[in-house]
Each structure stands twice: as structure tokens, then as C-alpha cells.
Amino acid sequence: MSTLTSTAVTAAPPAATGRGRELDDWRPEDPDFWRTTGAPIARRNLWVSIFAEHVGFSVWSLWSVTVLFLGPEYGIDPAGKFLLTAVPAALGAVLRLPYTLAVARFGGRRWTIVSALLLLVPTVPMAVLLEPGVSYPTLMVLACLTGVGGGNFASSMANINLFYPQRLKGRALGLNAGGGNLGVPAVQLVGLAVLATAGAAYPRLVPAVYLPLIVLAALAAARWLDTVPGARNEPGALREAARDPHTWIMALLYIGTFGSFIGFGFAFGQVLQLQFAERFPTPVDAAWLTFLGPLVGSLIRPLGGHLADRLGGARVTFWNFVAMAAGAGTVLHAAREHSFGLYLAGFLALFVFSGVGNGSTYKMIPAIFRARAAGAVADGQRDAADAARWARRMTGALIGIAGAVGASGGVLVNVAFRQSFLTSGTADAAYLAFIGWYALCFAVTWFVYRRPGPARLVGV
């Protein structure tokens, strides 16, 4: 499973800051403390965090379902619908860094409460305003506001990272990330249930289902979450990471993996209806399949980290992008031949490999800095302890930046579909763009991390 550490957020020595219910003492690396006190507290915080993040991801993905309800009476063409699914991804990407930094600024417990309640900002007006006659600019504002759910992922991961010792961070953060990602198929199943029971005339019921869940998430955070003492931001790490070329290389790769996952998750239902209109004449027909891709992509994510542990992150990432290019090629061929079975298989493969790539790319990041730290020690430029601290600091910063940039891939996917349907009436140009991007990603992975030579980073 991929690991996501906080963006330059570290735990300093305990200090009384008065931010919510702050723990008096927190020493997760102390085996005795962890066994007797730390583990039960960390587990309680993890499960509440998973629930709150899951609800946030569902709100972020609301418009992947909502657009299926927007029939002819709303007067919105396919290009307009793809724009409605692009703007939540854009705001979610922008909010990832400030949401991460907010954990140390306000305290994990307090910020989880606030970030959960912020989910009411888009869902309450959606539950009131979604009906024929609502203006397109209003829908755009409502869609954009659901992007706050994308920020919840970053702050949740930053917070849980502080609770666990190094040896257990991977599993804990993997559970947290997986629980959040499952919010995408979950909201699509809610949409399917509404379509199958109440019908397409009631899109407001989908956000209405989440109103009590949002309140419950905030109440659970207030009742059961804690704040780790002395957490602090290290803005210098972000500046240093932003000057490092590996940051932008890994951000590019993460656009190809997580960006594909969230982008396809938002667009899949629309694309099915447009490419196979005769098979999916009503939204409920498409909704039966819409959730499958995000579901398999979420569940398969741990495999990427596991394979990277065994085979090496760069090797898995390289072949994963080769497989994604092949999957996109399969989808393109199936669309041209109008073969639904092959089309569905190709698209599900894209979801599977985007999930695997989420794990393998994040496994590469700490390995990059471990290899560079080891090289600095061998050359006498740093002592071992200083090199280890630098590697941890840069890993956290790079992961935060790459996560924020990578989420913008969701925007690019939906914009590509929109432009393709606008210009040609098909998605062929979008599929060709995806093939080109994945080819760029596997070429960069080979050139930077797999190419034989003395500059190759060992162990990446």
C-alpha cells in the first residue's frame, strides 16, 4: 500500500498549545509506550479519520453521479457536463497543500471537525437547488465547492501520519487512503439507489443522503479524535522540495496514476452514455456500471505498494505505465469498433493499473531520498543521522506537492474528454492523448530511474 506522510509536518517535543483535546504525552517510537498507551489511541483516531475522509471523498465525487441526473430539461450538453466534473477536481487539487498545513496550525482534531463541517457548504445548497430551471453558472459554483472534499484527504493523511511509529505508518496510511478512495464508488452506489427507487427527477436526494453523514463525521471527530502535541509545519522543506527536479518528475508520474483514477472516476458514467447511447438510454442503466471502475481501482491500490516492495518501485511503475498505455489503446480500438465488452474490459484495466500505480509511485518517493542520502554519506557530505533526517523531511514535502499536483490530473482527463467530444463527437482524441501521456511517463521513468549508468539511484 502506498504511504502518504504529512507535507513537511513533523512532531516536535510535547508542548501545551491548547488546541482542542491535546494529548499530554505522545511517544509512538517508544515500544513500551506504544504497547500500553499509544496503539489503542492511534487505532481510535484512525477509524474516525477513515470515516471522515470517506465522507469527504464521496462529497468530492458527487458530480460524477449528479451529471447522470441532468437530462434534456436542464439544457446542458455533454461538453458542459464534463466541465461540471472538472471543476471539483481543480479545487480539490488546489486545497491539498493548505489543508495539510492546517493540521499543524489548528490541531488535527479541530481541523477534522472544521473540514467535515465545510462539506455542508456544497451539499446543503445542492439539496435545495438541484431541479430543472437552475442556471448553469449556479451548477458550476456548486460543483466547484464540492472540491473541499478533495482537501480532506490531505489533512486526514497528515494527521494520521503523526500518530503512528515509522514501522507502522505504511499500513495505517494505506488503510486511511483506501477508505477515502472507496468514497468514489460509494457515492455512485448511492446515486444508483436513488435512480433505481426515486428516479432521475430527484438529484437533490443524493447530497441529502450525505447531510447526516457529514454531521456524524464532525460529531465523531469532536468526541473521539485527539491532537498530537507539538506538531509543526516546516515551510523550508516545501521550498527546498520545490527546487528539486525529482519533485516535478514524481508529480508528473502521479498525474498519470492518481489523476487518471480520479478523472476516470468522475467521467466514466458520462462516457458510457455517450459512447454507447443505445445500450444506456437512461441514467440508471449507466449507473449500474459506473461504480465498478473506482471500486476495483480502490481495492487494488495495496497491490502496487506490495509489488514495489518486492520488485522495486521504478520497475513496477515503468511496466504499469506500459500496461496503462495498452489499456487506453484497447479502449480506443473498442470505441472505434463499437465493441462494448472490449471497451469495458479496457476501461476496467485502466482503473486497475491506475490503482496499482498509486501505490508504486508513492513507494518510489522515500526510496529516492534514501538513495540520495546514502550517496551523500558515502561521499562524506553528510553524517548518517543528518542524512536520515533530511531524507524524511524531503520525502514528506515531495509527497505533499506531488499529491496536490497529481490531483490536477482529474481536471485534465475531464477537459480532454470535453474537448474531444466538442471537436469530433467522439472520445478518440482523448484516448490518443492518454496513450501519449502514459508513453511519456514510462519513458521518463526509464530514463531517470531505470536507465543503467553510474547516476542511477540504487533501490528506487
Side-chain angles (χ1 to χ4, degrees), residues 22-42:
E22 185 151 0
L23 299 168
D24 294 327
D25 182 28
W26 192 248
R27 292 172 283 114
E29 301 295 345
D30 181 332
D32 292 332
F33 176 87
W34 179 254
R35 184 179 63 256
T36 59
T37 305
I41 294 173

Side-chain angles (χ1 to χ4, degrees), residues 380-435:
Q381 298 173 0
R382 295 179 183 268
D383 62 52
D386 178 60
R389 283 193 299 270
W390 174 82
R392 287 193 298 269
R393 182 170 176 265
M394 291 294 287
T395 294
L398 192 158
I399 283 176
I401 295 172
V405 175
S408 67
V411 183
L412 299 177
V413 167
N414 283 271
V415 169
F417 278 126
R418 177 182 184 272
Q419 194 60 37
S420 183
F421 279 108
L422 266 179
T423 55
S424 65
T426 72
D428 290 5
Y431 301 137
L432 287 170
F434 302 150
I435 293 169

Side-chain angles (χ1 to χ4, degrees), residues 236 238-245 247-248:
L238 289 174
R239 289 193 295 269
E240 185 177 354
R243 295 192 295 266
D244 194 303
T247 298
W248 304 108

Side-chain angles (χ1 to χ4, degrees), residues 220-233:
R223 174 64 180 84
W224 288 298
L225 284 189
D226 304 291
T227 294
V228 173
R232 67 188 180 197
N233 291 316

